[in-house]
């Protein structure tokens, strides 16, 4: 069996894994293994994010289209949201990922599945399988798990298991034809139990119509859920056309609380494997790129110095930025997954009373201190009620 030697093995060629590889120094050798046949295809995310973050990350503007307005629907409510205080953009996901892969300096193997890994005296021996070639091995000093919800490396080493609670999404992408979409649309309620739906314009003039649900709260097959939604009359209410000549995108991400442990000696997790997608809307490309790049720099420093101290500093910086906000966001996620249609109507009523910038911060999983305190109090109140079986004031 062929054995390749490298400093760093990166498992996963999504935005996190590619961003790690893109910030490794010239003196660092790395191999990226990616299960799909191509980078960025098939598409596994809707690509919604924020312009400010894309500009800060240096993402070229030709990779996204800006959306300045949105409509939010529940069964019996509708509100309009001005997005201009923090404009939303929709990415050409395939072009973005391929841009991240350009000039990374690492050896990139597509159509290559990670199988297992063993610890050695000074590193790891991983076994992979490439389509048309068969199994081969990679000996590395470090392994980065950017495999998404599969958590392939962590699971193989017994460090973590695959998440039980997941966000599962299906999306139909189709030409807009004579009905170009200029506004984003979000919808909640009986048409998508335990989740939410979206309709987004794309840079090439298509429409992405998607539904996302939380499992195991809702175990319905995503295709059946989409069929039922398309037959419900909701599209007509929102002024959307029926999908024609569409292709299907789908994806899965963990929907569990943020965990502080990202570094396990010389095994590091990043991206969806590290629960970096926001608990509120499951949006995380910007965070995968940002923290992936920082991890690449920390790994380069570790190889230069012979010390892994910088990796723990990276872990602490991610924890400092995300841990508290994600805890609050997960409380929101848990509550919303159990909402009835009437509760979604009431929720949209509350949204109409918020200034647009505050509501956008909420969707972005950014919470001011008063919201954090209020949410913590509500969670504590519910726990007391459940324990003692009576109301508390």
């Amino acid at each position: 069996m062929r054995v390749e030697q490298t400093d760093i093995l990166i498992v996963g060629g999504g935005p996190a894994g590619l961003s790690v590889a893109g910030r490794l120094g010239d003196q660092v050798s790395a191999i990226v293994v990616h299960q799909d046949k191509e980078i960025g295809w098939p598409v596994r995310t809707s690509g919604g994010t924020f312009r400010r973050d894309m500009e800060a990350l240096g993402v070229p503007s030709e990779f996204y289209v800006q959306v300045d307005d949105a409509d939010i629907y529940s069964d019996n409510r509708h509100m309009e949201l001005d997005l201009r205080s923090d404009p939303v953009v929709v990415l050409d996901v395939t072009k973005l990922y391929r841009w991240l892969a350009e000039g990374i300096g690492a050896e990139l193997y597509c159509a290559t599945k990670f199988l297992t890994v063993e610890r050695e005296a000074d590193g790891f021996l991983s076994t992979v399988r490439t389509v048309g070639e068969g199994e081969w091995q990679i000996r590395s000093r470090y392994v980065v798990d950017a495999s998404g919800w599969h958590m392939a490396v962590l699971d193989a080493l017994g460090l973590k298991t695959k998440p039980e609670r997941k966000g599962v999404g299906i999306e139909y992408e189709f030409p807009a034809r004579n009905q170009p979409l200029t506004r984003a649309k979000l919808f909640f309620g009986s048409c998508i139990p335990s989740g939410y739906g979206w309709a987004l314009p794309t840079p090439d003039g298509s429409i992405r119509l998607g539904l996302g649900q939380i499992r195991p709260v809702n175990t319905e097959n995503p295709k059946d859920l989409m069929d039922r939604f398309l037959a419900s009359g909701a599209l007509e209410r929102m002024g959307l056309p029926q999908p024609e000549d569409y292709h299907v995108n789908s994806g899965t991400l963990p929907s569990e609380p943020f965990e502080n442990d990202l570094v396990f000696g010389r095994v590091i997790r990043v991206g969806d494997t590290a629960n970096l997608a926001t608990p509120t809307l499951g949006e995380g490309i910007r965070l995968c790129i940002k923290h992936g790049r920082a991890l690449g720099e920390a790994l380069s420093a570790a190889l230069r110095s012979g010390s892994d101290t910088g990796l723990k500093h990276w872990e602490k910086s991610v924890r400092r930025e995300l841990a508290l906000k994600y805890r609050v966001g997960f409380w929101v996620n848990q509550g919303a997954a159990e909402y009835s249609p009437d509760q979604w109507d009431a929720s949209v009523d509350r949204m109409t009373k918020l200034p647009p910038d505050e509501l956008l911060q909420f969707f972005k999983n950014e919470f001011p201190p008063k919201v954090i305190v209020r949410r913590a109090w509500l969670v504590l109140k519910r726990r007391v009620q459940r324990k003692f079986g009576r109301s508390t004031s």
Side-chain angles (χ1 to χ4, degrees), residues 206-251:
S206 298
I207 296 174
R208 289 183 188 149
L209 175 68
L211 305 175
Q213 63 193 48
I214 298 295
R215 287 190 174 174
V217 182
N218 185 341
T219 59
E220 187 172 0
N221 181 285
K223 177 64 166 59
D224 295 340
L225 188 66
M226 178 64 84
D227 288 343
R228 183 160 55 83
F229 168 73
L230 294 178
S232 70
L235 287 181
E236 290 78 3
R237 180 190 174 205
M238 294 185 284
L240 292 169
Q242 283 283 340
E244 294 181 358
D245 301 326
Y246 60 84
H247 68 260
V248 179
N249 305 325
S250 62

Side-chain angles (χ1 to χ4, degrees), residues 20-37:
V20 174
R23 288 302 173 94
L24 297 173
D26 294 338
Q27 76 285 1
V28 178
S29 64
I31 291 175
V32 180
V33 295
H34 184 57
Q35 184 167 326
D36 294 331
K37 293 181 181 180

Side-chain angles (χ1 to χ4, degrees), residues 5-302:
Q5 303 275 350
T6 191
D7 292 322
I8 301 168
L9 169 62
I10 301 170
V11 179
L18 294 172
S19 296
V20 174
R23 288 302 173 94
L24 297 173
D26 294 338
Q27 76 285 1
V28 178
S29 64
I31 291 175
V32 180
V33 295
H34 184 57
Q35 184 167 326
D36 294 331
K37 293 181 181 180
E38 303 176 54
I39 293 294
W41 188 263
V43 174
R44 305 191 185 280
T45 175
S46 63
T49 188
F50 296 86
R51 189 190 71 188
R52 187 176 302 163
D53 298 277
M54 294 297 100
E55 291 175 342
L57 293 168
V59 174
S61 59
E62 61 262 32
F63 292 169
Y64 53 79
V65 61
Q66 181 170 316
V67 184
D68 291 329
D69 300 281
D71 296 292
I72 299 176
Y73 295 89
S74 61
D75 282 23
N76 302 294
R77 300 289 188 273
H78 168 230
M79 67 167 287
E80 298 180 354
L81 177 60
D82 186 340
L83 305 174
R84 287 174 293 181
S85 62
D86 194 2
V88 169
V89 298
V90 182
L91 294 158
D92 185 320
V93 176
T94 302
K95 287 183 179 179
L96 172 66
Y97 288 14
R98 291 176 181 176
W99 175 74
L100 290 172
E102 290 177 1
I104 58 175
E107 294 181 77
L108 176 59
Y109 293 89
C110 291
T112 300
K113 180 180 177 60
F114 172 89
L115 298 178
T116 190
V117 60
E118 301 174 9
R119 293 184 183 273
E120 295 190 321
D122 191 34
F124 305 89
L125 181 65
S126 300
T127 303
V128 302
R129 181 174 61 240
T130 299
V131 173
E133 181 179 343
E135 293 186 10
W136 53 287
Q137 294 181 310
I138 303 166
R139 181 168 279 117
S140 63
R141 296 176 62 185
Y142 295 85
V143 182
V144 174
D145 193 342
S147 64
W149 72 273
H150 299 281
M151 298 188 178
V153 178
L154 299 181
D155 189 45
L157 289 170
L159 298 171
K160 291 289 177 181
T161 57
K162 297 177 183 179
E164 294 184 4
R165 193 176 192 272
K166 300 184 287 289
V168 179
I170 186 171
E171 184 178 73
Y172 286 6
E173 185 168 339
F174 55 96
R177 300 191 187 280
N178 296 325
Q179 293 180 273
L181 187 62
T182 59
R183 303 167 65 91
K185 298 180 186 290
L186 295 177
F187 42 96
F188 309 87
S190 59
C191 61
I192 172 63
S194 81
Y196 74 100
W198 61 90
L200 303 173
T202 71
D204 65 1
S206 298
I207 296 174
R208 289 183 188 149
L209 175 68
L211 305 175
Q213 63 193 48
I214 298 295
R215 287 190 174 174
V217 182
N218 185 341
T219 59
E220 187 172 0
N221 181 285
K223 177 64 166 59
D224 295 340
L225 188 66
M226 178 64 84
D227 288 343
R228 183 160 55 83
F229 168 73
L230 294 178
S232 70
L235 287 181
E236 290 78 3
R237 180 190 174 205
M238 294 185 284
L240 292 169
Q242 283 283 340
E244 294 181 358
D245 301 326
Y246 60 84
H247 68 260
V248 179
N249 305 325
S250 62
T252 302
L253 54 82
S255 185
E256 294 194 335
F258 177 82
E259 296 179 317
N260 289 329
D261 51 336
L262 307 179
V263 177
F264 305 82
R266 292 188 173 181
V267 178
I268 310 98
R269 60 172 168 166
V270 70
D272 286 346
T273 309
N275 297 333
L276 292 191
T278 61
T280 45
L281 290 181
E283 171 263 329
I285 287 178
R286 59 191 170 92
L287 297 160
C288 289
I289 297 174
K290 174 184 176 181
H291 295 297
R293 287 174 173 176
L295 175 57
E297 293 169 358
L299 282 165
S300 295

